Structures are given as C-alpha cells and as structure tokens.
Amino acid sequence: MPSPEDRRVLAVWCPDWPAAAAAAAARLAPLHPVVVLHANRVVACSASARAAGIRRGLRRREAQARCPELHVAQADPDRDARAFEPVVAAVAATVPGVEVLRPGLLVLAARGAARYFGSEEVAAEQISDAVSAVGVGCRIGSADELSTAVLAARRAALVPAGEGAAFLAPLPVSELAIEPALAAPERVELVDLLHRLGLRRIGDFAALTPAEVASRFGADAIRAHRCARAEPERPPSADRPAPDLAVDYVCDPPIDRVDAAAFAGRLLAVRLHERLAAAVAACTRLLVVAETASGEQLSRIWRCAEPLTADSTADRVRWQLDGWLTHRALRNPDPDHDPDLDPTGSTIVGLRLEPVEVVAAAALQLGLWGGVGEEDERARRALVRVQGLLGGDSVRIGVLSGGRGPVERITLVPFGDERVPAADPALPWPGKLPQPAPAVVLGPQPAVELTAADGTGVWVCDRGLFTAEPARLRWGSKQWPVTGWAGPWPLDDRWWATPTEADAAPVEGSVRVQIQLDGDTRVLLLLGYAGTWHVEGLYE
C-alpha cells in the first residue's frame, strides 16, 4: 500500500461546466445567465442564473419567468467534452499524468507537482493560472484520497495530510452523492435513507463501524462509508494489465471528421470489451492514444467510478477524439493545410485503447439481462431489429408519470425515444391511489359484478358509501367470496370527459375500491363508473 504522501491527489473542478460550455458555444458574455435543460428541466445553470433565482430541477417556463434574458441550451455531452479538451491540455502541459473523471472535473497525482513546484499550494496556483489562460475559471483541492480531493475542490481547500476525515465530518451527508463521477445512481437513495435515520452529517455516517454498514446496507453504502472515513476507496492494482488487452486501429483513410471518429471509437470499444470479457475483467481506467499524420502521439486517461461498458467506452473515445480534432482545427483553420507537411496536422492515422486499471468482472453487479454490458447491447439490438420489422411503435417502454391512478402513472414511449413522462411525477397529486401500487395494470378493463349477500348489486350512494356490504364478486363465469375491502374513494377529476374518452383516466363520478378475495391471496383494484365495476389492477 503506498504511503499517504504517494496517494495525495489534486482535483481541478470547473464549476457549472455544462452551462459554461453552452455559453462558450453561443459566444455569450461571461456574466450572461445560462441554463442547460434535459427533459425540459434545468440540470445546470451559471452563477448569474442562480443569482436570479434559477435552481436545478426547475421547468423551462418557470426558469424563463424568473429570468427573461436567460439563454437556454439543451444538454449535450459531446459539446461539454469538446469544450473541456483545451482545459485538460493546459493542465497536462503544466503537470503530466492528468486523468479525466468527466467533462469539467479532472484529477492528477499531487506528489510530482508538489516536488517540482515546491509545494501543493504553488502547484495549485500554477494550474489555476494555466486554466485561466484558456478563459475558464476553476477551483482546486487536494487530499489524501481522490473522493476527498474532489469534495475539497468544490470548496477550494487543500486538506492537510491525515486530515481528510476531519474535513469531511461537518459536511452534509448529501455531499456523498453530489458528484456523479464518483457515486453510483443509487447513492441518492442511500443519502435519503441516512437523512431519515438522523445521520445528517458525513461524520455521523463515518461514526458507524464497517460491520454495521456492511450488515445493514448494500455494496455502494460500503464505498460511501470508506469515502466518509477518508479511507482508500479503490486499492491500487498490484500489476499492470496484460498488454494483450490493448486494441489498435489503423485509420485508413485518416480520420479528420467527428463522424468518422465516432465510428472508429465504437469499433475499438467493441473489440476492447470482447478481450476484457474473455479475460473475465472490466476496465476502470482507460488510456486513449491517437497518432497524427505528422507522427505526434496524443494520449489521455479517463477514470470512472463504475466499470466501463462498451457504450460508455465508445462515448469517451468519441468525446476525446472530438476534442482533439476540434481543438487542433481551431489552431489551424486553413482548409488547404497538409498534415503530412506540417507538424500541427490534425488528422489521426492510428488509435489505441489500453486498460490502465482493471477489476475482476466476477465481482461486478450483474445487469438486468445477466451481464455487465454486452448482454444489454445484444438486447438493445434485438429490440431495434423488431422496430425495423414492425415499426417504431411496436416496442414501447414504460416511464413513471404523474397521476392519481395506476394507468395514468404509466407513460409508454417508443424504445429509443427520450423518456419524457406525460405528467411530472414529482408534483403533488391530491387524491392519488395510496401505496402500494398494483403489480399488474390491465389495459382493457374487464367488467365484473359486485353483489351483496342477497344477490343484489352493490354500488355507491351519494354519501360515498356502499349501498350494501359486498359479499361476492363475479368475473365472467367465475365468482369468489369477498373477505375484505378498502374504500370506496370517489374521484372528482375529468368532469368534462365521457366514458368512451377515458381510456387512461377515470371520469366524473367514478369511484375506486380495493377488494380482497380468497383470504389474503388475491386483491383487486376496481374502478366503477356508469353503474359498472371494472378491474383496473391486480395486487400480488
């Protein structure tokens, strides 16, 4: 295990990078308010936009109402990575060994920089000056561990050696999930659970013993606990990965366009992951190397919190090549430029992907289709093939939507389209169906008959109560005794609709009731309208 001095990490964080990249692409003034949207909600905003009251999660219309002069841009990872390449190049020219976590955030070993410049403070000043020279502001942090250094960079703090846990202790526990490059998506649920347990600070969570965390939470909680205690999250590899895992590609003809770079990146990513799968390994640090027509070699390391899949590898290769090609084209805008005669040539003649750090694939969490990425891709291709045969609407997936009933809360969108719900599920929905939701929601809602003990039909009176106590339920040719119920719940929405128009939502005067049949083995959700009961869902 390396000494604490050898593990020291410098993190360079460019705040609000998606907004900064969007502003640079639009050539806006530095103080112009900018927001970046995804699915019609704000995912990033500039400091001037925050000063005007803009916050993440706002809808586009509300954000524009708070700041009419707001510049609105859509989320574009390619644009963010392309704009970040000059920043990475500036830092790499000052201190070698740069690793990119995501566009807007990079890390590097602090030991060499501190020895060369005399101290970490001087090294941070030099890096900050280099980034400022390309017109970008940044914050720099350092600590013994990578995750601590990233959180320190958000506060522009240089954490002394051995003081990582003390620095993290007073911070809100939500900081453990604030950086997507270091936290899995389920980290948000963990933070919410810790809040409800009364663990509001990182120090409160760190005070738990590893045995208590391992016995009560999942694998991601163990990683978060190591981060909270400022312990090494990922032990360094004992050996370099075998060289036969690296893949090469000769670009014939040379690559000078982004679309050609994307094709080459996809091809290399598939080859790399075929070799990793054969070696039962997964890559967590990837070296991308490109050779230009003039013989120059360009290289960059990408580090990821989770093992890379074929898709994520292809994305990073495309981002990197796009950044190199665009950056070098801007330095040499002459269309008659011959890259074979000028050392600043921007065409790429060779590519290489080399895993710098690998982990055992057997230790990874399997995905929905039983693998770590390859099976996902095969399933995706199969679904796309079905769409090609039967049409785009033949394959649809469900998206959680807003609404009061189970049918309303499901929005079906064609596979491959943006997963935008018909209504916002985060909004309050007074009168919505209480939890738990039905396990099965029926499309055509079959009619059933609810009767009392004497065989008369059961409906709901003007006071919202049953006209008689339900005793039996008849569904087609079968019938069951009713052993319990909950409700009825009158529904007063959609007063303008008629039963024929209300395939996805109840109409005025409708009621819902939960009916228990055969003891506790079968429960139905009934929707009643126009004097008839219909089965809306089944509980398991």
Side-chain angles (χ1 to χ4, degrees):
M1 180 69 67
S3 65
E5 180 184 356
D6 294 337
R7 296 200 312 266
R8 296 284 294 177
V9 177
L10 278 170
V12 181
W13 176 60
C14 299
D16 310 317
W17 183 252
R27 298 184 178 181
L28 300 175
L31 297 181
H32 194 92
V34 179
V35 296
V36 177
L37 302 180
H38 178 69
N40 207 37
R41 287 191 175 274
V42 176
V43 294
C45 59
S46 62
S48 54
R50 278 195 300 274
I54 310 299
R55 295 294 181 268
R56 293 175 61 182
L58 288 181
R59 286 183 173 273
R60 173 175 182 162
R61 182 172 297 179
E62 185 177 355
Q64 290 177 321
R66 295 186 181 187
C67 184
E69 66 272 17
L70 193 66
H71 175 75
V72 178
Q74 294 298 321
D76 185 355
D78 292 355
R79 176 194 62 212
D80 300 343
R82 181 168 56 248
F84 194 54
E85 174 56 27
V87 178
V88 181
V91 176
T94 306
V95 180
V98 172
E99 297 182 11
V100 181
L101 295 182
R102 62 167 176 82
L105 178 63
L106 59 87
V107 296
L108 61 151
R111 180 183 181 186
R115 288 187 174 183
Y116 182 81
F117 291 107
S119 67
E120 290 183 4
E121 290 79 2
V122 178
E125 291 178 0
Q126 294 293 327
I127 294 173
S128 180
D129 291 343
V131 174
S132 299
V134 297
V136 176
C138 71
R139 297 180 185 178
I140 300 177
S142 68
D144 294 342
E145 302 302 333
L146 186 146
S147 60
T148 309
V150 170
L151 295 180
R154 290 177 171 270
R155 292 160 176 78
L158 303 181
V159 181
E163 298 295 326
F167 168 76
L168 295 173
L171 300 182
V173 73
S174 58
E175 293 286 317
L176 296 175
I178 199 171
E179 178 49 61
L182 299 177
E186 58 267 24
R187 184 71 60 84
V188 176
E189 298 179 3
L190 172 65
V191 168
D192 179 66
L193 176 59
L194 295 177
H195 264 283
R196 287 186 278 116
L197 291 175
L199 304 176
R200 305 300 175 86
R201 303 290 174 182
I202 292 181
D204 301 333
F205 183 44
L208 300 178
T209 65
E212 291 172 334
V213 175
S215 61
R216 291 167 172 82
F217 304 98
D220 182 66
I222 298 175
R223 291 192 292 268
H225 189 245
R226 296 184 66 87
C227 170
R229 295 165 66 95
E231 297 178 354
E233 296 95 353
R234 184 191 300 164
S237 301
D239 302 308
R240 285 186 62 86
D244 58 354
L245 293 179
V247 292
D248 297 274
Y249 178 73
V250 177
C251 307
D252 187 16
I255 295 175
D256 59 357
R257 301 189 318 274
V258 175
D259 57 345
F263 175 80
R266 168 66 61 181
L267 180 64
L268 266 185
V270 172
R271 291 181 183 176
L272 173 65
H273 282 268
E274 287 176 350
R275 294 193 178 185
L276 289 172
V280 196
C283 177
T284 53
R285 290 173 65 198
L286 177 69
L287 174 64
V288 182
V289 182
E291 182 179 354
T292 67
S294 60
E296 181 183 6
Q297 277 203 344
L298 309 172
S299 63
R300 190 76 71 234
I301 293 178
W302 286 81
R303 176 191 285 260
C304 301
E306 297 292 322
L308 290 165
T309 63
D311 285 339
S312 56
T313 299
D315 288 341
R316 282 157 177 79
V317 175
R318 186 183 74 250
W319 295 344
Q320 192 58 66
L321 296 180
D322 188 4
W324 280 332
L325 291 171
T326 304
H327 182 49
R328 297 170 71 80
L330 290 175
R331 292 192 308 176
N332 181 43
D334 183 5
D336 299 326
H337 169 70
D338 186 353
D340 294 321
L341 301 177
D342 190 334
T344 63
S346 58
T347 58
I348 296 175
V349 298
L351 291 174
R352 179 180 177 85
L353 298 185
E354 181 178 343
V356 178
E357 183 178 80
V358 296
V359 297
L364 301 179
Q365 176 70 38
L366 297 182
L368 176 63
W369 307 98
V372 293
E374 298 296 334
E375 290 80 2
D376 285 344
E377 179 62 21
R378 287 200 295 270
R380 187 192 68 82
R381 289 197 297 266
L383 296 177
V384 171
R385 192 176 302 115
V386 173
Q387 285 182 312
L389 296 173
L390 303 179
D393 289 336
S394 60
V395 180
R396 296 191 294 173
I397 57 176
V399 179
L400 180 64
S401 182
R404 295 174 175 83
V407 177
E408 303 168 63
R409 300 195 66 191
I410 301 174
T411 300
L412 294 177
V413 298
F415 179 76
D417 288 4
E418 187 176 1
R419 301 184 180 184
V420 179
D424 185 4
L427 294 178
W429 292 93
K432 68 178 180 180
L433 184 71
Q435 293 293 333
V440 178
V441 178
L442 302 182
Q445 299 170 351
V448 296
E449 186 178 355
L450 194 62
T451 61
D454 58 1
T456 59
V458 176
W459 190 239
V460 179
C461 66
D462 293 339
R463 298 179 61 187
L465 302 175
F466 281 131
T467 55
E469 193 170 294
R472 301 192 69 83
L473 182 138
R474 182 178 293 108
W475 185 344
S477 60
K478 296 183 179 181
Q479 57 181 339
W480 297 267
V482 174
T483 59
W485 66 86
W489 301 296
L491 308 176
D492 295 328
D493 56 341
R494 291 178 58 86
W495 52 267
W496 63 90
T498 63
T500 57
E501 298 172 344
D503 295 331
V507 298
E508 169 76 3
S510 301
V511 292
R512 282 195 177 97
V513 61
Q514 293 170 332
I515 297 294
Q516 183 177 8
L517 310 176
D518 294 343
D520 58 352
T521 60
R522 183 174 302 156
V523 178
L524 308 181
L525 176 65
L526 302 186
L527 174 64
Y529 56 85
T532 306
W533 295 104
H534 302 264
V535 181
E536 190 175 18
L538 307 176
Y539 292 92
E540 293 183 354

